[in-house]
């Protein structure tokens, strides 16, 4: 990717605003990496109560955010890494980005598998999900990588109410058994090691870091406050 942003914020509301800002304001290919504090991120077309255990997330101070792309609900915390790829060339080959993440996991000595929804598995347990958004010639592909997340919070936070007659316009999440990548890597391999490997793999030596100006940050903050 031509440009990259290693985002140090862990505020999920702010980070969703950063994603949308990057999508609308940069025409060169962008790679964005970041982490969120405990949060549940739901897709643009989902019914919140059908996807989220509202009592559990409130009791455990888990933030709830609706992203601007589609797809299903995910739990995130500081044991999860988020990756996004933004392009303006109209290329809708999302399998390309999925393959990049697949190849990265292979580079760590893992043996991943994938499916038609571009979820990625280790030993038939899910470690990565993704969502996409298209506007004109612009596309964004987001993906998660579970490294050492609280799987108890993930399991209970994503237990929404049953809605047998849920409207067709509401997208239901596809449930999968999950695992952390740390369970499949050497015990001394930390999440910082993991993040460093991601940066080495995805950021080209000739890529340029994005430096958000004060005006950029002001616009992002306004977007966070007004939308997220």
């Amino acid at each position: 990717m031509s440009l990259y942003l290693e985002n140090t914020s862990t505020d999920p509301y702010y980070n969703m605003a950063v994603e949308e800002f990057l999508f609308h304001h940069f025409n060169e290919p962008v790679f964005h990496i970041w982490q969120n504090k405990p949060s549940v991120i739901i897709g643009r077309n989902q019914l919140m109560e059908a996807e989220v255990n509202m009592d559990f997330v409130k009791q455990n101070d888990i933030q709830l955010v609706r992203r601007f792309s589609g797809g299903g609900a995910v739990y995130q915390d500081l044991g999860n890494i988020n990756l996004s790829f933004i392009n303006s060339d109209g290329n809708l080959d999302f399998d390309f980005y999925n393959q990049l993440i697949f190849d990265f996991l292979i580079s760590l000595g893992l043996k991943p598998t994938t499916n038609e929804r571009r979820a990625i598995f280790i030993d038939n347990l899910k470690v990565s999900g993704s969502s996409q958004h298209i506007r004109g010639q612009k596309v964004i592909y987001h993906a998660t990588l579970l490294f050492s997340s609280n799987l108890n919070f993930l399991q209970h936070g994503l237990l929404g109410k049953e809605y047998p007659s849920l409207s067709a316009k509401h997208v239901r999440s596809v449930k999968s058994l999950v695992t952390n990548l740390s369970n499949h890597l050497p015990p001394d391999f930390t999440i910082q090691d993991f993040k460093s490997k991601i940066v080495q793999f995805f950021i080209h030596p000739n890529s340029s870091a994005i430096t958000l100006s004060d005006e950029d940050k002001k616009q992002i903050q306004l977007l966070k406050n007004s939308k997220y």
Side-chain angles (χ1 to χ4, degrees):
M1 309 299 279
S2 300
L3 302 173
Y4 67 92
L5 177 63
E6 289 187 71
N7 183 356
T8 59
S9 167
T10 60
D11 176 351
Y13 304 106
Y14 184 82
N15 290 340
M16 289 298 99
V18 170
E19 280 276 88
E20 188 165 347
F21 180 85
L22 294 174
F23 181 75
H24 288 297
H25 291 83
F26 287 83
N27 291 319
E28 293 180 79
V30 173
F31 174 71
H32 179 208
I33 176 172
W34 82 104
Q35 293 166 276
N36 284 330
K37 62 186 177 182
S39 53
V40 170
I41 317 296
I42 67 171
R44 180 182 58 184
N45 301 313
Q46 293 196 291
L47 179 64
M48 188 178 299
E49 293 80 1
E51 304 298 332
V52 182
N53 184 333
M54 301 299 291
D55 291 336
F56 184 84
V57 299
K58 289 176 183 176
Q59 291 165 6
N60 290 281
D61 195 27
I62 298 171
Q63 307 301 303
L64 185 57
V65 192
R66 185 184 297 277
R67 64 177 176 267
F68 70 97
S69 62
V74 293
Y75 169 79
Q76 299 181 359
D77 58 23
L78 297 180
N80 172 77
I81 304 290
N82 293 298
L83 312 177
S84 292
F85 305 87
I86 301 171
N87 238 313
S88 302
D89 61 4
N91 183 2
L92 304 184
D93 183 10
F94 295 122
D95 291 331
F96 170 77
Y97 301 109
N98 186 63
Q99 186 65 48
L100 284 177
I101 297 169
F102 197 86
D103 291 344
F104 166 68
L105 295 177
I106 290 175
S107 77
L108 298 180
L110 299 169
K111 296 180 179 179
T113 57
T114 189
N115 64 11
E116 70 281 356
R117 292 186 300 276
R118 303 183 188 90
I120 297 178
F121 304 83
I122 302 292
D123 293 339
N124 297 316
L125 299 172
K126 188 175 179 180
V127 295
S128 177
S130 63
S131 65
Q132 308 85 37
H133 181 68
I134 304 166
R135 178 169 293 183
Q137 294 295 301
K138 276 198 169 178
V139 298
I140 184 168
Y141 184 88
H142 323 256
T144 58
L145 282 170
L146 292 171
F147 183 82
S148 56
S149 284
N150 186 329
L151 299 186
N152 180 57
F153 274 25
L154 183 153
Q155 178 183 2
H156 289 91
L158 298 179
L159 286 176
K161 294 180 180 179
E162 289 295 327
Y163 284 84
S165 58
L166 193 65
S167 168
K169 71 179 182 179
H170 291 121
V171 174
R172 291 304 304 260
S173 299
V174 178
K175 304 294 185 183
S176 299
L177 295 175
V178 298
T179 187
N180 278 315
L181 287 162
S182 59
N183 295 329
H184 306 269
L185 291 164
D188 59 347
F189 191 79
T190 69
I191 193 165
Q192 287 306 319
D193 296 329
F194 184 61
K195 195 171 182 179
S196 294
K197 291 288 187 182
I198 291 172
V199 168
Q200 291 170 18
F201 189 90
F202 289 101
I203 297 177
H204 191 275
N206 294 328
S207 298
S208 299
I210 293 172
T211 300
L212 296 172
S213 67
D214 290 342
E215 179 59 30
D216 292 338
K217 293 174 183 177
K218 180 180 178 181
Q219 290 189 45
I220 290 167
Q221 190 66 42
L222 286 171
L223 183 59
K224 170 194 168 180
N225 295 341
S226 64
K227 182 172 181 178
Y228 295 104

